[in-house]
Amino acid sequence: MTTDKNLDTYHTRLPNILDTALLTAPIPIIIFEGMELKISFANDSLFEVWGKDESIVGRTLLEVLPELHDQPFPELLREVLRTGVTHTNSEALASVVKKGVREEIYFDFSYSAVRCPLGNIIGVLVIAKDVTDRVRAKETLQANKVALAETNRRLEMALAAGNLGYYE
């Protein structure tokens, strides 16, 4: 049975529980505030994917990843800030610089408005998943299918040219 005291303890501890859960989640999570896209929260998975550390918190997205300037992500985030409409995408390609090397990373992601208690939009919650391995595997599979089709086409031509085939 839940008592008022248990609920008070739960509600007091909830922010710490959520912070710990979000910080250690196995997928990148970040919260941006304001149109300048200031980073107010980022978890360990995000640091790993971006090749960054905790020092990015408090800085803006384009300070941390200036290579995103000509990519669609900053504008999509601002659109969520303006409209409050959630934006999702699958297998979106991002080009980021990690440790001085440009990398292409594919993400499934969701951008959701963060609202204050009065309902005003104050930020954007980003939950992402690095799906680069999945995309690369699909690309390899497609290339293999094309190569197999070409091999089959050549085999059929060779069989037809030599009047060879299967006989029963």
Side-chain angles (χ1 to χ4, degrees), residues 113-123:
V114 175
R115 297 178 185 271
C116 72
L118 297 176
N120 299 327
I121 299 169
I122 58 170

Short mmCIF file of all heavy atoms in Angstrom, two decimals, residues 113-123:
data_model
loop_
_atom_site.label_atom_id
_atom_site.label_comp_id
_atom_site.label_asym_id
_atom_site.label_seq_id
_atom_site.Cartn_x
_atom_site.Cartn_y
_atom_site.Cartn_z
N ALA A 113 9.46 18.47 -28.23
CA ALA A 113 9.48 19.72 -27.47
C ALA A 113 9.51 19.44 -25.98
O ALA A 113 8.85 18.52 -25.49
CB ALA A 113 8.25 20.56 -27.82
N VAL A 114 10.31 20.24 -25.26
CA VAL A 114 10.33 20.21 -23.79
C VAL A 114 9.59 21.46 -23.35
O VAL A 114 9.91 22.57 -23.78
CB VAL A 114 11.78 20.22 -23.25
CG1 VAL A 114 11.79 20.31 -21.74
CG2 VAL A 114 12.53 18.99 -23.72
N ARG A 115 8.62 21.27 -22.48
CA ARG A 115 7.79 22.40 -22.04
C ARG A 115 7.98 22.67 -20.55
O ARG A 115 8.18 21.74 -19.78
CB ARG A 115 6.32 22.12 -22.33
CG ARG A 115 6.04 21.96 -23.81
CD ARG A 115 4.58 21.62 -24.08
NE ARG A 115 4.33 21.36 -25.48
CZ ARG A 115 4.01 22.28 -26.37
NH1 ARG A 115 3.87 23.54 -26.00
NH2 ARG A 115 3.83 21.96 -27.64
N CYS A 116 7.87 23.93 -20.18
CA CYS A 116 7.91 24.30 -18.78
C CYS A 116 6.54 24.01 -18.17
O CYS A 116 5.59 23.69 -18.89
CB CYS A 116 8.29 25.77 -18.62
SG CYS A 116 7.00 26.93 -19.11
N PRO A 117 6.39 24.13 -16.84
CA PRO A 117 5.09 23.84 -16.22
C PRO A 117 3.93 24.67 -16.78
O PRO A 117 2.79 24.24 -16.74
CB PRO A 117 5.34 24.13 -14.74
CG PRO A 117 6.79 23.87 -14.55
CD PRO A 117 7.44 24.34 -15.82
N LEU A 118 4.23 25.85 -17.33
CA LEU A 118 3.18 26.69 -17.90
C LEU A 118 2.83 26.30 -19.33
O LEU A 118 1.91 26.85 -19.93
CB LEU A 118 3.60 28.16 -17.86
CG LEU A 118 3.81 28.74 -16.46
CD1 LEU A 118 4.32 30.17 -16.55
CD2 LEU A 118 2.52 28.68 -15.66
N GLY A 119 3.58 25.36 -19.90
CA GLY A 119 3.29 24.88 -21.24
C GLY A 119 4.12 25.50 -22.34
O GLY A 119 4.02 25.11 -23.50
N ASN A 120 4.94 26.49 -22.00
CA ASN A 120 5.79 27.12 -23.01
C ASN A 120 6.92 26.18 -23.41
O ASN A 120 7.49 25.48 -22.58
CB ASN A 120 6.39 28.43 -22.48
CG ASN A 120 5.33 29.43 -22.12
OD1 ASN A 120 4.27 29.47 -22.74
ND2 ASN A 120 5.59 30.22 -21.10
N ILE A 121 7.26 26.21 -24.69
CA ILE A 121 8.36 25.38 -25.17
C ILE A 121 9.68 26.03 -24.78
O ILE A 121 9.92 27.21 -25.09
CB ILE A 121 8.29 25.21 -26.70
CG1 ILE A 121 6.99 24.52 -27.09
CG2 ILE A 121 9.50 24.41 -27.21
CD1 ILE A 121 6.69 24.54 -28.57
N ILE A 122 10.51 25.28 -24.08
CA ILE A 122 11.80 25.82 -23.64
C ILE A 122 12.99 25.05 -24.20
O ILE A 122 14.14 25.48 -24.05
CB ILE A 122 11.90 25.84 -22.10
CG1 ILE A 122 11.70 24.43 -21.53
CG2 ILE A 122 10.89 26.83 -21.51
CD1 ILE A 122 12.01 24.32 -20.05
N GLY A 123 12.72 23.92 -24.83
CA GLY A 123 13.83 23.15 -25.35
C GLY A 123 13.36 21.99 -26.21
O GLY A 123 12.18 21.85 -26.50
#
